[in-house]
Each structure stands twice: as structure tokens, then as C-alpha cells.
């Protein structure tokens, strides 16, 4: 047996100090005035955002931009509903993403949510780290990277995750600072939840399903998780990512972006940047909706770029079935010509997966496919 390698005490101490610093997040690193990206955040060459090497999943250009389909929510409520439903189906099938405009949520509610989110990350680290936790089931969790328990290379992102339903059971866990955080967050969570319920009704209709075909309480009592993301300026943005290629686990995600671009989707084998549209939501199909639609609607890979001079804030509201519900293809969408394509699954299965496996790309969804 080979003898154990013993590191010099000073090297061990230095490595422990670095690991401790990384766990504190990239906002803390940025605040120290670093000039270079630490090695912990440097991606292999072929995984970097502007790599010209090999696989399609890395081909990108700073000039690749896309106008994803636009769904006018107000038109869904009027005489043009059938036409808009066809556009919605096309967006979910071909892009997995769309911009939602005229959604009815007051501009002030949106502006306050972005503002209070920005101020949360501007608070001293001592205040933010009160909410740090490695427990993926915690009702409130402040953390860094994508899945910091498993990530070999960290991402240039800090986050605050907030379980948002049912609010009376979780609100006392939410941050009490800034002083208006809970008030602004509750208003925003309630408004996005109402919007989701109306939107998912349209999604069901676009699939040819009626409310009688499904258990509506599974949507009305469904889970809601808000994720507030902070992407500080990065001294070497070509070496890292804000978030790696991944898909979302739920039914629909409603993403609120500030004016700083960074979101990219994989479309026709190329990474393309989704330009922010003021006042709109970027909505994307999640893994659960791909399963529920039996593969008709697509949960699409997306990632986040960072930049060297602007802080970026986004707020993602992820909506799905209740945590205890079994997710399976809708019975009306399964037949001899279109057999069941996915295994039955639930949220507990997803949590077990991400605690033990690499949850990037579409690995979880791929693990649920029925091989034919």
C-alpha cells in the first residue's frame, strides 16, 4: 500500500481558507476586489461560453441573439384566444420558451421585487449568511454556484431560494432584512402564482385537455419556489458561467430579468441570447411539463453568461405540482400511436437525484425516459 501523502501545514491551511472563501459566494469575492477568476470557477476549455471547440452545446457567439415567441396574455382573455393558443403550442413545442407580455402584474410590484432583491445582496455578508444551508429541503436557503454540494467547478452566481407556498407556513423563515423584503416578496409571490394558474389553464387547453380531464387541485395546491439570483461582475467572464446548461424541474418557470442580458437557450444546436424585454416575463417549459405532455412540449437547456462590468439580478418563480404528487403523462395524451415515454416520478425522486448525481443538462429528465 502506498504511503499517504501529507500536505505541508501551510498548504493545507491555505486550501482550507480558499474553500471557506468560495462557500461564502461570488458576491463576497467580488467585494474583495479580485482581479482574476479563481481556479475553482474556471471551466475546462471546451465548456467555456465562447469556446470554438467540438460539441454543438458550446458553439456560441456574442452576436447570437434571438427574439423568442411573444405571447400576449391579454389576447388570451379575448376573442383571439384560439389563435393565441396555437401560438402558445408552437412556442412550447419548438422553443420551450416564450416572452409573456401584457400579463397584468403591476409595474410597481415588479420594480419593487427587483429593487429589494438587489438590496438583499448588497447587505453585509454577515446578514446574508444567516440563511446559508446545505439542506435542499430548507424553506429558505442562501447559497452559491449551481449545486455547491456536488459542483467540481463553481458557477459565478449566488442565490436565495424561498419556498413560497403555502405562505403562512413558510413566511416566518424568510429574511426580515431589508425591512420591506417580506412585504415586496409576498406581493410578488401571490401575483406570479395567480398568473401561473391562468397560464397553465391555457397550456392545458393548448394540449387539447379540458379542466375536467385533470385534477385542477394539483395545480391550485401546487408547489412554488422563488429563486433570487445575483450575478456580480466577473473579471474574466470568458472563463466561467453564471449557471451551467440545465433544464428546470417543474411545470413552468416565470423568469423576471433586469435590463442586463445573460440568459441563453439552446436553439437549433446553437446557444443564443434572449434579449430582455422590459416588463415581460420569460416563461419556459420545465421537466414536469415535458413529462405531463408525454414529450410534446419541450424542456429546453438554458444557461447564463456573466459580464465584467454589470451586476445582474433575476427572479425565477418555479411552479409545479405539489411536492407529494406523482408526475406522469396525462392519460389523454397516451395511446397506441403515442405510448408513454416517461416513468412516473415525484419531487422526492428529484431531490435524491440531485443530492447524488450531476443535475446539469437534462440528466434527471433523461433518467426518467422509458427506453423503447
Amino acid at each position: 500500500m502506498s504511503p499517504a501523502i501529507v500536505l505541508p501545514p501551510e498548504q493545507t491551511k491555505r486550501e482550507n481558507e480558499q474553500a471557506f472563501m468560495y462557500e461564502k459566494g461570488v458576491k463576497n469575492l467580488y467585494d474583495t476586489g479580485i482581479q482574476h477568476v479563481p481556479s475553482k470557477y474556471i471551466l475546462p476549455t471546451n465548456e467555456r461560453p465562447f469556446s470554438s471547440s467540438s460539441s454543438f452545446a458550446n458553439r456560441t457567439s456574442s452576436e447570437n441573439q434571438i427574439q423568442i415567441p411573444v405571447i400576449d396574455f391579454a389576447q388570451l382573455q379575448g376573442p383571439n384566444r384560439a389563435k393565441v393558443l396555437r401560438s402558445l403550442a408552437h412556442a412550447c413545442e419548438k422553443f420551450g420558451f416564450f416572452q409573456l407580455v401584457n400579463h397584468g402584474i403591476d409595474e410597481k410590484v415588479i420594480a419593487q421585487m427587483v429593487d429589494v432583491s438587489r438590496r438583499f445582496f448588497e447587505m453585509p455578508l454577515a446578514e446574508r449568511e444567516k440563511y446559508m444551508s446545505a439542506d435542499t429541503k430548507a424553506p429558505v436557503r442562501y447559497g452559491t454556484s449551481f449545486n455547491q454540494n456536488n459542483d467540481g467547478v463553481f458557477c459565478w452566481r449566488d442565490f436565495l431560494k424561498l419556498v413560497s407556498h403555502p405562505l403562512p407556513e413558510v413566511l416566518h423563515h424568510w429574511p426580515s432584512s431589508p425591512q420591506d423584503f417580506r412585504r415586496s416578496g409576498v406581493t410578488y409571490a401571490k401575483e406570479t402564482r395567480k398568473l401561473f394558474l391562468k397560464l397553465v389553464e391555457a397550456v392545458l387547453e393548448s394540449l387539447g385537455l379540458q379542466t375536467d380531464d385533470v385534477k385542477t387541485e394539483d395545480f391550485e395546491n401546487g408547489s412554488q419556489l422563488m429563486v433570487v439570483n445575483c450575478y456580480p461582475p466577473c473579471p474574466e467572464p470568458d472563463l466561467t458561467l453564471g449557471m451551467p446548461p440545465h433544464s428546470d424541474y417543474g411545470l413552468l418557470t416565470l423568469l423576471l430579468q433586469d435590463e442586463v442580458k445573460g440568459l441563453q437557450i439552446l436553439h437549433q444546436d446553437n446557444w443564443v441570447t434572449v434579449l430582455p424585454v422590459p416588463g415581460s416575463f420569460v416563461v419556459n417549459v420545465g421537466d414536469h411539463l415535458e413529462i405531463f405532455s408525454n414529450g410534446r412540449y419541450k424542456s429546453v437547456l438554458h444557461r447564463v453568461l456573466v459580464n465584467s462590468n454589470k451586476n445582474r439580478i433575476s427572479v425565477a418563480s418555479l411552479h409545479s405540482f405539489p411536492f407529494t404528487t406523482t408526475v406522469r403523462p396525462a392519460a389523454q395524451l397516451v395511446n397506441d400511436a403515442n405510448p408513454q415515454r416517461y416513468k412516473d416520478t415525484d419531487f422526492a425522486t428529484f431531490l435524491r437525484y440531485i443530492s447524488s448525481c450531476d443535475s446539469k443538462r437534462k440528466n434527471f429528465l433523461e433518467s426518467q425516459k422509458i427506453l423503447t
Side-chain angles (χ1 to χ4, degrees):
M1 179 180 292
S2 300
I5 298 175
V6 179
L7 296 176
E10 61 275 11
Q11 183 176 345
T12 301
K13 179 181 178 182
R14 185 168 61 252
E15 290 183 356
N16 288 340
E17 288 175 347
Q18 287 178 338
F20 179 76
M21 181 173 63
Y22 300 149
E23 293 294 331
K24 299 295 184 182
V26 288
K27 179 63 167 61
N28 184 55
L29 282 177
Y30 171 73
D31 289 343
T32 66
I34 62 168
Q35 301 298 310
H36 298 283
V37 172
S39 59
K40 181 69 175 177
Y41 298 86
I42 297 178
L43 290 164
T45 303
N46 66 335
E47 294 181 21
R48 294 175 191 172
F50 301 104
S51 170
S52 60
S53 63
S54 64
S55 71
F56 71 85
N58 293 304
R59 287 206 302 268
T60 190
S61 162
S62 58
E63 301 304 317
N64 283 355
Q65 299 177 348
I66 191 172
Q67 177 64 62
I68 58 177
V70 176
I71 302 298
D72 189 328
F73 186 74
Q75 292 289 317
L76 267 175
Q77 316 308 311
N80 292 327
R81 185 175 178 85
K83 179 181 179 181
V84 180
L85 286 173
R86 289 193 294 272
S87 298
L88 178 62
H90 174 78
C92 293
E93 289 175 359
K94 303 300 182 183
F95 290 81
F97 275 78
F98 56 90
Q99 296 271 13
L100 189 69
V101 299
N102 296 328
H103 44 70
I105 297 182
D106 193 284
E107 292 179 6
K108 184 177 179 182
V109 171
I110 289 175
Q112 287 175 340
M113 188 64 208
V114 172
D115 177 62
V116 79
S117 298
R118 183 174 288 112
R119 285 186 284 117
F120 173 83
F121 286 102
E122 289 172 351
M123 291 193 305
L125 176 62
E127 187 67 29
R128 285 179 277 134
E129 67 181 355
K130 291 178 183 178
Y131 306 99
M132 280 188 170
S133 173
D135 181 6
T136 55
K137 298 179 182 178
V140 173
R141 186 159 69 97
Y142 177 72
T144 191
S145 192
F146 182 72
N147 182 354
Q148 68 196 80
N149 295 329
N150 291 341
D151 291 343
V153 177
F154 272 19
C155 301
W156 200 262
R157 166 218 188 205
D158 291 345
F159 63 81
L160 178 68
K161 293 188 176 182
L162 304 162
V163 174
S164 304
H165 184 77
L167 277 169
E169 296 181 14
V170 295
L171 185 57
H172 65 282
H173 293 288
W174 284 22
S176 54
S177 296
Q179 190 173 14
D180 55 340
F181 186 92
R182 290 184 182 177
R183 184 177 69 250
S184 297
V186 164
T187 301
Y188 182 81
K190 288 180 176 179
E191 290 296 311
T192 50
R193 185 171 188 82
K194 287 191 292 186
L195 178 59
F196 161 74
L197 289 173
K198 293 178 182 176
L199 188 57
V200 79
E201 183 180 315
V203 168
L204 293 174
E205 192 174 341
S206 72
L207 284 167
L209 301 173
Q210 303 300 320
T211 52
D212 292 343
D213 295 330
V214 295
K215 292 170 61 179
T216 55
E217 59 267 27
D218 279 349
F219 300 100
E220 294 165 358
N221 300 323
S223 60
Q224 180 179 6
L225 177 69
M226 289 204 308
V227 185
V228 185
N229 299 300
C230 175
Y231 306 97
C234 176
E236 297 171 295
D238 290 357
L239 300 181
T240 189
L241 284 167
M243 287 186 77
H246 68 284
S247 60
D248 293 348
Y249 73 85
L251 282 165
L252 292 173
T253 298
L254 279 64
L255 179 71
L256 173 63
Q257 304 186 85
D258 63 11
E259 72 285 356
V260 182
K261 63 186 180 182
L263 174 65
Q264 289 195 319
I265 68 172
L266 188 64
H267 181 64
Q268 296 179 350
D269 291 350
N270 283 285
W271 287 109
V272 289
T273 299
V274 177
L275 297 177
V277 175
S280 74
F281 285 98
V282 176
V283 181
N284 65 281
V285 172
D287 292 349
H288 287 174
L289 183 50
E290 180 166 332
I291 292 172
F292 181 79
S293 70
N294 203 30
R296 179 176 167 188
Y297 289 174
K298 304 301 183 186
S299 177
V300 169
L301 285 175
H302 49 289
R303 68 182 188 180
V304 177
L305 304 183
V306 290
N307 69 84
S308 59
N309 50 33
K310 289 184 178 180
N311 188 67
R312 181 173 181 267
I313 294 289
S314 69
V315 184
S317 188
L318 292 88
H319 299 263
S320 196
F321 297 106
F323 290 135
T324 55
T325 296
T326 298
V327 182
R328 58 172 60 94
Q332 297 80 2
L333 302 178
V334 177
N335 51 49
D336 290 341
N338 191 31
Q340 183 170 340
R341 300 176 185 275
Y342 302 88
K343 306 171 189 174
D344 294 358
T345 187
D346 57 21
F347 191 69
T349 302
F350 172 72
L351 287 181
R352 285 195 299 270
Y353 187 91
I354 65 171
S355 67
S356 61
C357 303
D358 182 359
S359 55
K360 301 182 185 71
R361 301 193 178 275
K362 293 179 69 171
N363 292 357
F364 174 71
L365 188 63
E366 293 295 326
S367 75
Q368 299 306 301
K369 285 186 175 180
I370 296 173
L371 301 177
T372 57

